[in-house]
Amino acid sequence: MDYVRPRTWQDALALKTENPGVVPINGGTDLMVEINFAHRRPPSLLDLSHIDGIKRWKRSNGTVELGAGVTYTEVLEHLSGDLPALALASRTVGSPQIRNRGTIAGNLATASPAGDSHPPLLATGATVRVESMRGVRDVRIGRFFTGPRRNVLEPDELIRSVIVPTARGPQQFSKVGTRNAMVIAVASFAIALDLAGRRGGTGIGSAAPTPIRATDGAVYLESELSHLDYWENPRDLPAGVLDRFADLVASAGRPIDDVRGTARYRTHALRVIARRTLEWAWADVLEGWADAR
């Protein structure tokens, strides 16, 4: 196996153009597991971990741009106020050692349906910025995933950054696994409320061939909150609204049976965590989230 270590981003792009089959590695928390268990044997590795520029984040115009080298730990320690759902999801990733190495961009590149960062990125409407020697293009997160462990990246492209809107209301994330720590999600869900825009974003993980949104659930929630005048005058949500939202989220999934859980269990879990996260988020609204910010 060949190994190359560029010092600059431009060098990395040039190497990817010269050898499209080279596999990028930064934290290596997914790739090295595959190599160690002989599930994958790339012909060559492109080590991005020594490129300083991609390890930074930048706040600008209501967004945070996360460089490709930004880790889960950095999101937790520095950006939990700006990106609360992503920070909550980051806290559930593996051990502290994994969070110190693993990156949001790497999670996207792997494109696992169970990726923990994916539901918050879907719920908040993130954008993935990809680059090659041919130029830069921005991909909306909803169009990034094309299948299990597949995405829209061309052979000569690398993820340069992820642009995430800062919170405009309460956000929550919940994950169900076979144990409480260091576990791959059996099902996961994120919700992001935009109080000024009167919008509700959703993201589902580990319940379909790709991470997906619960579009019907979000549309229903937005409509009900407007119809009942809850955006302007928040009160306790009726049980019927919570239940209907949860049912629509559960029906959006397309789960399968596998070693971690059955399709039936995943559907049930989605219903439970969708209702739970909406209750948590709405409790924050009632506690005056906007004023507290």
Side-chain angles (χ1 to χ4, degrees), residues 227-288:
H227 173 69
L228 299 171
D229 193 33
Y230 275 39
W231 290 114
E232 289 293 333
N233 301 293
R235 288 99 69 200
D236 288 339
L237 289 178
V241 171
L242 291 165
D243 290 338
R244 181 58 179 159
F245 174 75
D247 287 342
L248 289 169
V249 170
S251 66
R254 289 173 285 151
I256 61 170
D257 298 340
D258 65 14
V259 295
R260 295 196 308 278
T262 65
R264 182 178 179 182
Y265 176 72
R266 282 189 163 93
T267 299
H268 170 72
L270 268 182
R271 184 177 288 108
V272 171
I273 61 179
R275 193 184 201 279
R276 185 177 296 164
T277 52
L278 177 55
E279 286 182 303
W280 291 340
W282 198 252
D284 288 341
V285 173
L286 296 179
E287 291 175 6

Side-chain angles (χ1 to χ4, degrees), residues 93-111:
V93 174
S95 63
Q97 294 91 336
I98 296 295
R99 294 193 290 271
N100 289 342
R101 292 288 300 174
T103 65
I104 308 301
N107 202 216
L108 283 168
T110 301

Side-chain angles (χ1 to χ4, degrees), residues 13-289:
L13 293 177
L15 287 165
K16 194 76 169 84
T17 298
E18 294 168 8
N19 182 9
V22 68
V23 175
I25 182 171
N26 195 342
T29 55
D30 283 322
L31 180 59
M32 293 309 299
V33 173
E34 294 180 340
I35 292 174
N36 287 340
F37 282 92
H39 294 161
R40 189 177 184 187
R41 187 71 179 177
S44 55
L45 296 178
L46 179 65
D47 183 0
L48 305 177
S49 63
H50 294 269
I51 301 175
D52 289 335
I54 64 171
K55 300 177 182 179
R56 302 169 188 160
W57 64 87
K58 178 175 66 176
R59 297 179 177 93
S60 177
N61 299 321
T63 65
V64 179
E65 184 172 3
L66 306 173
V70 173
T71 65
Y72 298 110
T73 295
E74 288 166 325
V75 171
L76 273 169
E77 292 182 350
H78 303 290
L79 297 169
S80 59
D82 298 277
L83 313 175
L86 187 58
L88 287 167
S90 296
R91 192 177 300 279
T92 73
V93 174
S95 63
Q97 294 91 336
I98 296 295
R99 294 193 290 271
N100 289 342
R101 292 288 300 174
T103 65
I104 308 301
N107 202 216
L108 283 168
T110 301
S112 166
D116 291 318
S117 72
H118 303 158
L121 295 176
L122 283 164
T124 55
T127 298
V128 186
R129 179 159 290 170
V130 303
E131 188 172 1
S132 69
M133 295 298 288
R134 296 176 287 112
V136 178
R137 66 186 179 111
D138 288 343
V139 181
R140 292 184 180 276
I141 188 66
R143 297 182 177 180
F144 184 79
F145 307 103
T146 60
R149 294 187 173 272
R150 299 198 304 273
N151 56 48
V152 300
L153 289 174
E154 298 292 341
D156 62 340
E157 288 181 322
L158 296 171
I159 296 174
R160 176 166 184 163
S161 62
V162 185
I163 302 167
V164 190
T166 54
R168 300 183 179 97
Q171 299 179 2
Q172 288 290 338
F173 172 83
S174 186
K175 167 180 169 180
V176 174
T178 53
R179 58 185 182 184
N180 290 331
M182 295 182 65
V183 65
I184 299 173
V186 172
S188 59
F189 181 73
I191 186 169
L193 298 179
D194 178 349
L195 300 181
R198 301 185 177 187
R199 301 290 302 275
T202 59
I204 293 173
S206 206
T210 67
I212 58 172
R213 290 186 171 106
T215 304
D216 289 346
V219 170
Y220 167 78
L221 180 63
E222 293 165 2
S223 175
E224 284 299 297
L225 294 179
S226 295
H227 173 69
L228 299 171
D229 193 33
Y230 275 39
W231 290 114
E232 289 293 333
N233 301 293
R235 288 99 69 200
D236 288 339
L237 289 178
V241 171
L242 291 165
D243 290 338
R244 181 58 179 159
F245 174 75
D247 287 342
L248 289 169
V249 170
S251 66
R254 289 173 285 151
I256 61 170
D257 298 340
D258 65 14
V259 295
R260 295 196 308 278
T262 65
R264 182 178 179 182
Y265 176 72
R266 282 189 163 93
T267 299
H268 170 72
L270 268 182
R271 184 177 288 108
V272 171
I273 61 179
R275 193 184 201 279
R276 185 177 296 164
T277 52
L278 177 55
E279 286 182 303
W280 291 340
W282 198 252
D284 288 341
V285 173
L286 296 179
E287 291 175 6
W289 184 91

